Amino acid sequence: MSGYHVNTCSWSWSFQGIFACLVAIVTVTVYSTYFGYSSNGTSVNVRLMKPDYANTSSTLFTEKKITKAPATTSRNECHIVHEKLNSCNKLPNFFLHEDQRHHFQNAIINFWHLQKASGSTIGHCLSNIYNKLGLPLTAKSGSSCKRKEEILQNANYFNSSKERPIVRGHGTLGLCDFIKEKITDRKCSVFTVFRDPYDRLVSQYFFNKEYVPWVLKENGTIKDWIFGSSSAVWKSFSNEWKFESLDNGQEKCKDLQRFVTREDRWPSINEYYAGIANNLDKHLSFIGLTEDLQTTYQMLEEVYGLPFVEVCSDLHVLQGSYELTNVTEQRARKMAAKRELMEDQETQRLIQFELLIYEKAKEIFEAQKKVFLKMKGSRRHTPNSS
């Protein structure tokens, strides 16, 4: 009879018994930690794996420690990156959340203008629609706190039941959430148009060279500019502001954003950031694509009941003098710049959050289209009530 029992690990003083007990304890500890099981049988997430929906190169998604989500905001504020449906003031996707569609009839329209993703075209489109219908289009916001304070001065516009309130501009993604208790109890429907990140960044770079060359390094390449800038998509998702009441009764806005390190400006993918992509249909009421603006207009018309197709189908706004240059030469330069970025692994790692969001946006766009076509087909086969 040996001096120990494998199953009970009884306290025998033999060397073999002590050694076997130690081996058993270490084995259980390592197994439970690495493979995700605790002593009570509950699974735990130790390593982050590549999201199933990410149809991009595996080099973009590396294992790293899971970071904590930002601290919870105060009682009167609402963090933009929320997972709970309707925990703030934004309406979820019109096509994918049928039970919320009745809110859209009286909702604030919030157009988040993503740079170089047909934003100027959509902005002019909205202006033309509102002019055609004789509606006021007064609320235009940027990313600065000054613009947020100007929005508060238009409280009557948002609270009027006779108007169709609209907010548009850069950095408006979380605006309705943060000021919901200050200007209105209306729901807010946020929509945007996404574009392939490589195309968007290339377009932004050439736009900067023409209009704001001081943001570029002297003789700097497109990679130099990207590495020194920040993700426009993440910057909007991480928008945080705080409003303080002054003695004169006005509200003072304070920007809480801090983009110090490269990780702040171009986040790597972990569970928190992947969760944002997974909940994109809850953050945005509608998603359009630059690559398919005509279908985007048709679906926008379904969401808001506004004449997007009639007014905007032939509209295309060029924010640049590209039409004054050799089109073939300009296209060749852009294609060369895009190839440079796509072939550079360092750039791929840097923009992985934008790539992930874009892949999810395309997935949602196709899902929206299926529901939209089904809705149209259903109406065609429904006899007139008369």
Side-chain angles (χ1 to χ4, degrees):
M1 185 84 176
S2 61
Y4 66 92
H5 300 284
V6 174
N7 292 332
T8 61
C9 201
S10 62
W11 291 102
S12 171
W13 288 103
S14 67
F15 174 80
Q16 295 92 336
I18 295 174
F19 179 78
C21 284
L22 289 174
V23 169
I25 293 171
V26 170
T27 300
V28 171
T29 302
V30 171
Y31 186 86
S32 63
T33 301
Y34 188 79
F35 291 97
Y37 292 91
S38 61
S39 59
N40 62 3
T42 304
S43 63
V44 295
N45 294 318
V46 177
R47 296 188 301 163
L48 177 70
M49 306 306 292
K50 175 182 175 182
D52 292 334
Y53 55 77
N55 189 26
T56 51
S57 172
S58 60
T59 59
L60 300 180
F61 303 92
T62 56
E63 295 180 0
K64 62 177 291 181
K65 293 181 180 179
I66 296 175
T67 58
K68 294 181 179 180
T72 304
T73 54
S74 65
R75 181 178 59 83
N76 293 325
E77 294 179 352
C78 179
H79 198 279
I80 186 172
V81 185
H82 61 88
E83 295 184 2
K84 183 179 177 183
L85 183 61
N86 286 336
S87 64
C88 295
N89 196 35
K90 292 192 298 293
L91 287 169
N93 191 278
F94 175 87
F95 292 103
L96 307 185
H97 297 270
E98 182 178 356
D99 62 321
Q100 297 295 316
R101 289 178 192 163
H102 63 282
H103 288 299
F104 282 79
Q105 297 176 359
N106 192 42
I108 296 172
I109 300 174
N110 185 341
F111 170 51
W112 166 31
H113 178 168
L114 183 59
Q115 295 167 315
K116 311 313 295 179
S118 303
S120 296
T121 299
I122 299 296
H124 280 74
C125 168
L126 288 168
S127 295
N128 292 346
I129 288 175
Y130 270 57
N131 288 335
K132 178 181 177 66
L133 299 178
L135 295 172
L137 186 65
T138 59
K140 184 175 181 181
S141 176
S143 57
S144 68
C145 259
K146 183 179 179 180
R147 289 299 187 106
K148 306 300 184 294
E149 293 168 4
E150 291 174 356
I151 290 293
L152 291 181
Q153 297 173 10
N154 290 309
N156 290 335
Y157 169 68
F158 288 99
N159 291 320
S160 173
S161 60
K162 298 179 181 180
E163 310 296 356
R164 189 71 187 272
I166 186 168
V167 183
R168 58 199 171 104
H170 304 297
T172 64
L173 179 55
L175 185 64
C176 288
D177 294 335
F178 286 104
I179 61 179
K180 69 186 182 72
E181 296 181 2
K182 302 178 184 299
I183 63 170
T184 183
D185 58 357
R186 275 177 163 172
K187 292 289 185 179
C188 189
S189 60
V190 185
F191 83 92
T192 194
V193 178
F194 285 103
R195 184 182 184 183
D196 176 274
Y198 291 109
D199 290 328
R200 194 186 68 76
L201 289 169
V202 167
S203 183
Q204 182 72 49
Y205 172 70
F206 282 97
F207 177 86
N208 289 344
K209 288 188 69 174
E210 182 173 0
Y211 284 99
V212 285
W214 55 88
V215 304
L216 306 175
K217 293 182 179 179
E218 186 175 356
N219 299 322
T221 65
I222 187 171
K223 280 184 57 180
D224 293 331
W225 166 69
I226 290 176
F227 276 66
S229 61
S230 59
S231 166
V233 177
W234 169 239
K235 190 173 182 180
S236 288
F237 269 107
S238 60
N239 265 337
E240 282 197 85
W241 315 288
K242 180 180 180 181
F243 288 93
E244 299 175 349
S245 298
L246 303 180
D247 293 337
N248 59 8
Q250 294 185 348
E251 297 283 349
K252 180 68 176 177
C253 169
K254 181 179 181 181
D255 192 346
L256 303 180
Q257 285 182 298
R258 294 293 181 269
F259 293 104
V260 180
T261 66
R262 182 175 293 177
E263 180 73 11
D264 294 332
R265 296 182 283 111
W266 296 96
S268 301
I269 299 300
N270 59 24
E271 189 173 79
Y272 175 64
Y273 297 109
I276 297 173
N278 279 328
N279 286 279
L280 204 59
D281 63 311
K282 300 180 182 66
H283 301 309
L284 299 172
S285 298
F286 173 75
I287 290 174
L289 293 180
T290 296
E291 294 83 353
D292 192 352
L293 275 183
Q294 294 308 312
T295 305
T296 295
Y297 289 143
Q298 292 175 37
M299 289 194 286
L300 276 171
E301 193 162 299
E302 182 70 37
V303 175
Y304 296 115
L306 298 174
F308 281 91
V309 175
E310 176 189 348
V311 176
C312 309
S313 290
D314 298 326
L315 183 64
H316 184 58
V317 178
L318 285 173
Q319 288 292 81
S321 60
Y322 301 137
E323 68 273 20
L324 303 179
T325 62
N326 186 303
V327 176
T328 303
E329 178 185 347
Q330 184 73 17
R331 186 179 293 114
R333 289 167 60 195
K334 287 188 174 184
M335 290 179 63
K338 181 178 179 179
R339 282 196 301 270
E340 178 185 349
L341 296 182
M342 294 185 70
E343 293 171 359
D344 183 71
Q345 291 189 358
E346 195 173 11
T347 301
Q348 291 181 30
R349 285 193 294 270
L350 195 68
I351 68 172
Q352 59 182 274
F353 177 73
E354 292 211 10
L355 291 170
L356 180 63
I357 291 293
Y358 180 67
E359 289 300 317
K360 188 63 179 179
K362 288 197 299 182
E363 178 184 314
I364 292 175
F365 184 83
E366 292 302 319
Q368 291 175 160
K369 191 159 62 173
K370 288 181 180 178
V371 177
F372 170 63
L373 294 175
K374 185 177 180 180
M375 292 170 68
K376 287 183 63 178
S378 177
R379 281 197 294 269
R380 282 198 301 267
H381 293 91
T382 300
N384 294 330
S385 56
S386 58

